[in-house]
Amino acid sequence: MKTTLLTSEDYTRSPWKNGGGIFTDIAGAHRTDAPVKDWNSLLWRFASTPIVAPGPFSYMPGIDRLQMVVAGRGLVLKAPGQEFDEREPFTTVRFAGELEIVTALEAGPVEVVNLMARRGAAEIALVALREPGDRELAAGTHLVYAVSGDCGIRLNSEDFVIPGGCTLKVELTEASHLAFVSGLAVLASIQLVG
């Protein structure tokens, strides 16, 4: 098990693919053989971003996306023939990057976290940790993002306090046990395929 605490100084900023806003990139991975780290070489990315006005989402063919509102409420993603309801915070929605999506903000700006992965390259999951409890973590990369204020976790038998706004990156070579002790966090899990 390897753990790395990522703080806001470790995060980078980059424009949305359509230029409509700015991501705060928390963690990610690209193909090692790619000459340039860009959308074409992306394997996975975990990021946060504000959505302050209704508008179109970036077109991301071949990318699977998970999203969750972590501040504010009232977000709805509208696509032809369907919608994804994120009106309540900490609700995870999954959608394909090819969908033509336009946001609707029913109660003002929101902050969201996004977990994206190249389809076929990784399996991803995104869940809110709000109540103390235990869960098994599979081998892979896991990110525990402390949404507001410090949060406490126990990995196997080791205790960690994650400061508010920071992320604990956990790289596992075998299944491990996570106990969520206190606070409010988002758990992003990535398992590379092949």
Side-chain angles (χ1 to χ4, degrees), residues 28 40 60 63 73 112 139 148 164:
N40 295 321
M60 297 182 179
I63 301 291
R73 61 190 323 110
V112 301
S148 60

Side-chain angles (χ1 to χ4, degrees), residues 47-78:
S48 69
T49 189
I51 300 176
V52 299
F57 263 33
S58 300
Y59 178 68
M60 297 182 179
I63 301 291
D64 288 326
R65 300 185 63 178
L66 296 174
Q67 183 173 282
M68 177 190 294
V69 172
V70 295
R73 61 190 323 110
L75 176 64
V76 182
L77 310 182
K78 298 188 175 186

Side-chain angles (χ1 to χ4, degrees), residues 46-147:
F46 180 61
S48 69
T49 189
I51 300 176
V52 299
F57 263 33
S58 300
Y59 178 68
M60 297 182 179
I63 301 291
D64 288 326
R65 300 185 63 178
L66 296 174
Q67 183 173 282
M68 177 190 294
V69 172
V70 295
R73 61 190 323 110
L75 176 64
V76 182
L77 310 182
K78 298 188 175 186
Q82 61 184 317
E83 70 176 33
F84 301 90
D85 186 348
E86 293 185 78
R87 289 180 179 94
E88 288 302 313
F90 303 104
T91 301
T92 303
V93 297
R94 179 184 292 265
F95 54 95
E98 296 87 347
L99 280 179
E100 294 179 15
I101 288 178
V102 176
T103 56
L105 295 169
E106 297 180 350
V110 296
E111 180 89 15
V112 301
V113 291
N114 286 276
L115 180 58
M116 307 169 221
R118 173 89 36 213
R119 192 167 302 130
E123 297 292 330
I124 54 175
L126 186 66
V127 296
L129 302 176
R130 295 188 279 182
E131 301 291 336
D134 298 348
R135 66 178 58 239
E136 295 301 313
L137 298 181
T141 300
H142 303 273
L143 305 162
V144 183
Y145 171 60
V147 174

